[in-house]
Amino acid sequence: MADVNDEKWMKEALNLAEKALEKGEVPVGCVIVHKNKVIGRGGNEANKTKNATRHAEMVAIDQVQHWCKTQFLSFKDVLGECWLYVTVEPCIMCAAALRFMGIPKVVFGCANERFGGCGSILNIHTDICSINTTYHGTKDNLSAQCTVNCITQNSSDDCNLSTMCNYTSSGLAFKETPLTNVVEPSTTYEEYEQHHRQSNELRQEVRIPCGEPFLCIPGILANIAIDLLKEFYTGENPNAPVPKLKKKK
C-alpha cells in the first residue's frame, strides 16, 4: 500500500536521476528513508566509475553504511527500518542485494522491462529462495570449494531442490542428504556414501541466507521516470567507446 509521502520521496529520487542524466549516466536516482529522514542518496555512477555495479541503489546504500558508522548504529538494524525509493524498478542484481540486506519496502517509478528483478523479468522480491550445493572436503574448507548450482528458484512441482532457505543467524547450516540423481544406476546410495566417507568427501546440502521477501510498490511518478530514460536513450552516450569502422577489402 502506498504511503502519503511516497511521491515526496520519489521527487527527491527524480532530482538525483536528472543530475545523473546531466553527467551522461543512465538517469536513475534513489533515496533511502529512515524514520522520515533521508540517510542515503544515489544516482547511477556506472559510466563515471567504469563499474557496472554502481547502480543508484548501491551508491545510496554505501551512504547509509557511512551514516550508520557516524551514528554508531547497526547497519543491518537500520536497513531493516528503511524504505527505498528508486525511479526505475531495481534490476535483478540490485533486487537480490536489497532482499539479502533486509530492506522491507521498495517503491519504484517505472518498470524495467529488460532487467527488472521485481516483477518485470524475475520476482526476486517474493520468490522462495532455494539453493542446492555440493562440496568436497571438510566443513572447514567449504568456502573455498563450495559450488552453488542454483541461487533462486520458484517453488514448483518440477523443482528438484531438496530444501528451502532455512538458515541460522550464526552462519551456514548443514544437512547430509542423498544425491541419488547423480549416482550411477549400478551403485546404491549406501555404497556411494561409504566410499565418500572413506575419502572424507560428503555431499552436503548448504543453506545460505537469502533474506525475507520485501514489499514492492510500483508506478509512483512513473511517467517522469520514463521521460528521463527516453531523453537519455534518444541521445548519444558520450561515454560510449568510439566504434571501429570495418575496412573494405
Side-chain angles (χ1 to χ4, degrees):
M1 181 177 178
D3 185 83
V4 292
N5 288 319
D6 284 347
E7 285 197 10
K8 170 187 173 182
W9 302 125
M10 187 60 72
K11 286 178 181 177
E12 288 207 28
L14 286 165
N15 288 335
L16 293 167
E18 290 176 358
K19 291 179 181 179
L21 178 63
E22 293 170 0
K23 297 175 182 177
E25 301 280 354
V26 177
V28 180
C30 174
V31 297
I32 299 177
V33 179
H34 179 255
K35 296 181 179 179
N36 212 35
K37 175 184 177 182
V38 175
I39 60 173
R41 294 177 173 84
N44 265 5
E45 294 183 356
N47 286 333
K48 172 186 174 182
T49 61
K50 303 296 187 291
N51 183 340
T53 69
R54 299 306 291 159
H55 290 190
E57 297 95 319
M58 300 297 101
V59 175
I61 285 171
D62 283 351
Q63 285 200 4
V64 173
Q65 186 174 35
H66 176 73
W67 181 85
C68 289
K69 288 180 179 179
T70 63
Q71 302 297 313
F72 303 101
L73 295 173
S74 164
F75 178 54
K76 180 179 178 180
D77 291 345
V78 168
L79 281 181
E81 299 173 340
C82 285
W83 291 356
L84 183 144
Y85 296 82
V86 61
T87 57
V88 179
E89 176 187 355
C91 69
I92 294 169
M93 174 191 74
C94 289
L98 298 178
R99 179 165 176 174
F100 185 83
M101 287 185 285
I103 290 182
K105 175 181 172 180
V106 172
V107 180
F108 65 84
C110 65
N112 183 345
E113 296 179 354
R114 295 182 65 190
F115 310 110
C118 295
S120 292
I121 304 299
L122 293 179
N123 296 304
I124 299 294
H125 63 306
T126 57
D127 277 354
I128 295 174
C129 179
S130 304
I131 61 170
N132 187 21
T133 69
T134 303
Y135 85 95
H136 301 283
T138 64
K139 295 178 183 180
D140 293 336
N141 65 2
L142 169 68
S143 59
Q145 301 192 41
C146 179
T147 302
V148 177
N149 299 319
C150 180
I151 300 300
T152 61
Q153 182 165 336
N154 286 323
S155 176
S156 60
D157 293 337
D158 59 355
C159 177
N160 62 0
L161 300 184
S162 56
T163 183
M164 296 305 171
C165 187
N166 181 16
Y167 60 91
T168 63
S169 59
S170 59
L172 301 178
F174 297 89
K175 179 183 177 183
E176 297 177 14
T177 57
L179 195 61
T180 54
N181 58 326
V182 298
V183 177
E184 294 295 329
S186 60
T187 304
T188 66
Y189 176 67
E190 287 74 21
E191 292 171 336
Y192 171 83
E193 185 179 23
Q194 182 180 9
H195 167 74
H196 285 286
R197 281 189 186 278
Q198 291 172 350
S199 61
N200 198 29
E201 293 183 358
L202 276 177
R203 187 240 193 250
Q204 296 282 348
E205 177 183 285
V206 184
R207 299 171 179 182
I208 298 177
C210 63
E212 294 294 327
F214 60 84
L215 174 66
C216 256
I217 299 177
I220 304 300
L221 302 180
N223 290 339
I224 302 176
I226 291 171
D227 288 342
L228 288 172
L229 290 173
K230 285 181 178 179
E231 186 174 348
F232 176 82
Y233 285 112
T234 54
E236 292 186 359
N237 184 354
N239 296 293
V242 178
K244 294 181 180 179
L245 300 177
K246 292 184 179 179
K247 295 181 181 180
K248 293 183 180 180
K249 295 183 179 180

